[in-house]
Amino acid sequence: MNSALLECGGLTMRFDGLVALDGLDVQVGKGETIGLVGPNGSGKTTFFNVVTGLYTPSAGSVRLGDMDLFAKSPQVIGRSGVARTFQRSRLMLDQSVFDNIVAGALSRLDLGLVTSLFCRARWRAELDAMIDNARSLARRFNPAIADKLFQPAGAFTMIDRRRIEICRALIGTPRLLLLDEPSAGMTHDETRQLMDDLLAFRSEMPDLAVILVEHEMDVIRRVSDRCVVLNFGRKIFEGSFDDLIADAEVQTAYLGGDA
Ligand SMILES: Nc1ncnc2c1ncn2[C@@H]1O[C@H](COP(=O)(O)OP(=O)(O)OP(=O)(O)O)[C@@H](O)[C@H]1O
Ligand SMILES: [Mg+2]
């Protein structure tokens, strides 16, 4: 692994009697893509919610580079360079593609009230830069999205909506991107296209670390440098995809004992 970017130690999340994350140790290197898998309810989304500050962990540590992110607010964590997409789409379908994408950059905009009110030229320049930024990001995924930047997001296909969500996560130039089942609800072909996109922007952003939650093993095989498997909030495996497939405990937990 390259120098560790994200380091979680003993991360624990309890909901009343339920232990959703149970002393989880996870490290992600700069530029590394981790495939995070596990059965339904094993804690994958909870892990993302804890790392991004939506849930306050019960115990453990979370560090990004030299920053302590344990129990920090989503705003602080977002500004420190962690971005995500959600398992269930959170696009504002009646708002434009542009509005949806820049929602991911607002926490980084630091113009201040005085500038916004009185320095109109500077405000306009910031806005133009943001439009350019959103457009070139969208173009990387699909030129048709870039050409319709001010159309409502709801007018696009499922795969394009997912691309817009990924653009929203990327607009703030994160260091760590968390993707929660990006191919959910997509056809086989769309999933393959989306993974082509993922591989393409990964090669353009070699320092970006990615954690990908995905049920489709073929996707995990294709894009992961390393795999982590959860079961009942515990890490039961960490290693290469080939070793994952051969691991008896993983087969029992995740593949129902059928290799
Ligand atoms: N806000 C919450 N309150 C209470 N329990 C929760 C909450 N969020 C998650 N859980 C529980 O924590 C456990 C882990 O859920 P989580 O959503 O993290 O699983 P997952 O691995 O993402 O599953 P899936 O593959 O179905 O998306 C489950 O038992 C779930 O019911
Ligand atoms: Mg989930």
Side-chain angles (χ1 to χ4, degrees), residues 1-3 5 28-34 140 170 174-177 198-210 225:
M1 198 203 304
N2 300 329
S3 56
L5 174 69
V28 186
K30 197 164 118 178
E32 196 181 23
T33 296
I34 300 286
R140 282 188 192 174
L170 289 175
R175 294 192 280 167
L176 173 67
L177 175 64
L198 175 62
L199 290 169
F201 76 71
R202 283 282 296 99
S203 71
E204 287 173 33
M205 301 175 201
D207 285 348
L208 177 70
V210 177
D225 298 313

Side-chain angles (χ1 to χ4, degrees), residues 108-235:
R108 294 205 159 204
L109 244 193
D110 193 17
L111 283 175
L113 184 64
V114 173
T115 309
S116 303
L117 285 178
F118 300 111
C119 305
R120 306 303 287 180
R122 186 160 156 224
W123 188 86
R124 181 72 227 184
E126 285 280 343
L127 183 64
D128 286 345
M130 224 185 244
I131 293 172
D132 282 351
N133 216 348
R135 189 172 277 131
S136 67
L137 201 49
R139 180 157 285 121
R140 282 188 192 174
F141 287 84
N142 183 359
I145 306 176
D147 293 343
K148 296 178 188 158
L149 206 59
F150 294 98
Q151 304 257 327
F156 289 81
T157 58
M158 273 299 285
I159 184 167
D160 281 343
R161 290 183 197 179
R162 203 39 73 97
R163 287 167 165 149
I164 294 166
E165 290 190 275
I166 297 173
C167 289
R168 173 166 63 192
L170 289 175
I171 191 102
T173 55
R175 294 192 280 167
L176 173 67
L177 175 64
L178 310 175
L179 298 172
D180 200 348
E181 294 194 42
S183 75
M186 272 176 220
T187 64
H188 212 68
D189 235 30
E190 288 172 329
T191 301
R192 195 182 40 74
Q193 281 179 47
L194 198 68
M195 290 308 121
D196 289 346
D197 292 347
L198 175 62
L199 290 169
F201 76 71
R202 283 282 296 99
S203 71
E204 287 173 33
M205 301 175 201
D207 285 348
L208 177 70
V210 177
I211 306 180
L212 171 71
V213 167
E214 182 56 62
H215 281 296
E216 272 212 43
M217 283 299 173
D218 202 39
V219 170
I220 292 291
R221 180 188 58 75
R222 216 177 136 209
V223 303
S224 308
D225 298 313
R226 192 155 55 88
C227 302
V228 170
V229 184
L230 300 186
N231 197 24
F232 296 112
R234 281 189 312 112
K235 182 170 71 179

Side-chain angles (χ1 to χ4, degrees), residues 39-46 87 180-181 213 215:
N40 294 122
S42 56
K44 305 177 299 292
T45 298
T46 302
Q87 191 165 349
D180 200 348
E181 294 194 42
V213 167
H215 281 296

